[in-house]
Amino acid sequence: MSGFFYVLDEEARVLFVDDDPILREFARVNLASPNTRIDVAANGLEALERLATQAYDLVLLDLEMPGLDGFGTLTRIRADPALADTAVIVQTGREDVEAIDRCFRLGAASFVMKPLNWRLLTYQLRYVLRAERQARAARPRAVA
C-alpha cells in the first residue's frame, strides 16, 4: 500500500489565474506542497499586477475571464521582457482548434482542459517546470 506523496516536490512559485473562486481555492488545496507555493488571481489584470511584483516559475491561466481575458494576458506576458520566459499553461473549457492554436502561437507551454484533474495537473506542472528550467540552463548567458 502506497502513501500519499507530493508530485510537486521541487521549490516553485505558481500563479493560478481564474475568475472562479471555487477553482482558485481548489488550486491552493490541490497544487500546493511543502515546497510549492500557489498564489491566485481572479483576472488578467490582477495576474499582471502580481507578476509585476513577484517572480513566478509558472502561470496557470484561464482563457475565459471578464475584462482582460487569457489571450490578452498571455500576449502581455510575452511582450514584457521581464516576463517573457515565464512558463504559462493555459487551462480552459474551450477545446476548439482555433483556441488551442492561438494559445501556442502566443507562447503557451502547454494546454489543459477543464474540468481539471488535479493529480494529473500536478504531473503536468512538474513536467513543464523541469523542462523550462532545463531550457533556461541551456541558454547562452549574456556577456556583460
Side-chain angles (χ1 to χ4, degrees):
M1 180 175 194
S2 63
F4 180 83
F5 72 97
Y6 291 103
V7 173
L8 289 173
D9 53 0
E10 55 260 282
E11 287 193 31
R13 190 160 192 158
V14 175
L15 179 61
F16 184 89
V17 186
D18 199 295
D19 59 321
D20 184 334
I22 294 170
L23 278 180
R24 291 194 307 270
E25 187 58 31
F26 280 172
R28 282 188 175 118
V29 170
N30 289 291
L31 300 177
S33 75
N35 296 319
T36 303
R37 179 171 174 167
I38 306 298
D39 292 336
V40 297
N43 57 56
L45 290 176
E46 186 180 335
L48 292 171
E49 290 171 7
R50 287 189 170 275
L51 288 160
T53 60
Q54 174 64 52
Y56 287 94
D57 299 293
L58 190 139
V59 176
L60 267 161
L61 180 63
D62 186 24
L63 284 184
E64 305 295 327
M65 297 181 290
L68 185 62
D69 68 6
F71 294 117
T73 305
L74 182 53
T75 299
R76 290 179 59 180
I77 289 170
R78 291 294 171 248
D80 184 336
L83 302 175
D85 289 337
T86 305
V88 177
I89 296 176
V90 171
Q91 44 108 6
T92 184
R94 290 183 62 174
E95 56 182 309
D96 57 285
V97 171
E98 179 184 335
I100 294 167
D101 289 346
R102 185 174 175 196
C103 288
F104 283 110
R105 277 195 313 273
L106 290 173
S110 190
F111 189 99
V112 295
M113 293 298 304
K114 290 180 180 178
L116 297 170
N117 176 321
W118 295 100
R119 190 61 168 189
L120 187 58
L121 182 57
T122 58
Y123 280 101
Q124 181 75 357
L125 293 177
R126 184 173 75 173
Y127 172 80
V128 170
L129 283 167
R130 289 178 179 176
E132 290 292 322
R133 288 175 176 161
Q134 288 174 347
R136 198 172 299 131
R139 286 187 199 117
R141 305 240 185 247
V143 179

